[in-house]
């Protein structure tokens, strides 16, 4: 099994942070209940080049906090590099609803019309003793910075994301969200 296949197997599926959410709630902390659904979707992308070795993933993230629920879908491409696994972000395909985009609702799309995100700095993950760790820092605008750090193992996904505007955090939490496979 290639490194990319190992990585994909570890990070795809349905995950939530129910255990962490309950602990935070019991401690009186305001913390979101979160779900992550990661699904390979090359089968929905038409005309992939014959030598294409990457794997596209639809990532569906759902957050519920203080009675409000919102989703944050993404389309990522994972590729094997000499020094690890690279995660690149792509724009949600034209004609799809960016608020409700999911693997289930995704229509077939031609590879040639997919657009790589210009704002997202690709994240690079390195493997050490069966655990993958990595991330990136993206300058979304002159005043907006997005930070991503993730750690994947057989038992969980740890995800830390934050958004800063003019040096002040506007999104994110002090502790990473710890997702366990459902």
């Amino acid at each position: 099994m290639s490194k990319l296949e190992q990585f994909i197997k570890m990070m795809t599926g349905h995950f939530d942070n129910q255990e962490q959410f309950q602990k935070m709630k019991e401690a009186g902390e305001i913390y979101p209940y979160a779900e992550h659904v990661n699904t390979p979707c090359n089968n929905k992308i038409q005309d992939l080049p014959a030598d294409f070795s990457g794997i596209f993933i639809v990532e569906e993230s759902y957050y519920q906090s203080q009675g409000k629920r919102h989703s944050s879908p993404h389309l990522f491409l994972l590729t094997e590099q000499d020094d690890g696994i690279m995660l690149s972000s792509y724009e949600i395909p034209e004609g799809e609803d960016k608020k409700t985009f999911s693997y289930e609702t995704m229509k077939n799309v031609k590879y040639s019309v997919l657009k790589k995100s210009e704002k997202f700095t690709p994240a690079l993950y390195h493997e050490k003793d069966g655990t993958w760790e990595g991330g990136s820092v993206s300058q979304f605008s002159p005043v907006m910075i997005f930070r991503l750090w993730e750690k994947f193992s057989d038992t969980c996904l740890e995800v830390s994301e934050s958004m800063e505007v003019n040096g002040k955090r506007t999104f994110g939490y002090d502790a990473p969200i710890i997702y366990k496979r459902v």
Side-chain angles (χ1 to χ4, degrees):
M1 186 180 300
S2 73
K3 294 274 188 192
L4 180 59
E5 290 168 331
Q6 291 171 13
F7 187 86
I8 294 293
K9 184 178 178 190
M10 198 173 284
M11 62 96 56
T12 56
H14 189 157
F15 304 84
D16 72 21
N17 73 332
Q18 182 66 39
E19 187 178 311
Q20 179 189 36
F21 174 74
Q22 282 304 122
K23 286 179 184 174
M24 296 295 237
K25 188 176 177 182
E26 290 166 11
E29 303 267 341
I30 295 176
Y31 205 75
Y33 168 70
E35 292 178 85
H36 232 37
V37 182
N38 297 324
T39 311
C41 64
N42 281 20
N43 60 312
K44 293 192 176 196
I45 300 173
Q46 301 169 333
D47 302 327
L48 286 170
D51 61 347
F52 189 80
S53 61
I55 299 176
F56 280 96
I57 299 284
V58 172
E59 178 189 273
E60 303 165 46
S61 298
Y62 303 96
Y63 303 97
Q64 186 168 326
S65 183
Q66 300 175 320
K68 294 180 182 174
R69 181 176 165 96
H70 76 277
S71 65
S72 180
H74 299 281
L75 179 63
F76 292 118
L77 173 62
L78 295 156
T79 54
E80 191 165 339
Q81 308 292 309
D82 289 339
D83 54 348
I85 302 296
M86 179 78 67
L87 178 140
S88 301
S89 181
Y90 278 70
E91 301 296 332
I92 301 295
E94 195 72 32
E96 297 280 2
D97 185 333
K98 293 179 181 173
K99 293 180 183 174
T100 61
F101 182 72
S102 69
Y103 176 78
E104 290 300 319
T105 64
M106 182 180 180
K107 298 172 193 76
N108 288 346
V109 61
K110 290 189 183 228
Y111 173 72
S112 61
V113 301
L114 293 177
K115 297 176 188 162
K116 194 171 184 180
S117 171
E118 294 179 17
K119 295 178 183 178
F120 183 84
T121 300
L124 185 62
Y125 299 84
H126 302 281
E127 189 262 341
K128 183 179 179 189
D129 302 324
T131 299
W132 290 86
E133 192 170 338
S136 68
V137 176
S138 301
Q139 188 84 40
F140 282 4
S141 78
V143 297
M144 186 183 297
I145 296 174
F146 175 71
R147 298 178 193 281
L148 171 68
W149 174 86
E150 298 178 298
K151 184 176 180 181
F152 303 142
S153 70
D154 285 330
T155 58
C156 67
L157 310 178
E158 292 180 45
V159 180
S160 181
E161 299 172 299
S162 68
M163 188 75 73
E164 296 173 14
V165 177
N166 290 320
K168 189 174 183 181
R169 184 170 69 187
T170 59
F171 169 80
Y173 300 90
D174 292 336
I177 295 177
I178 301 173
Y179 295 93
K180 296 202 172 172
R181 194 174 296 277
V182 175

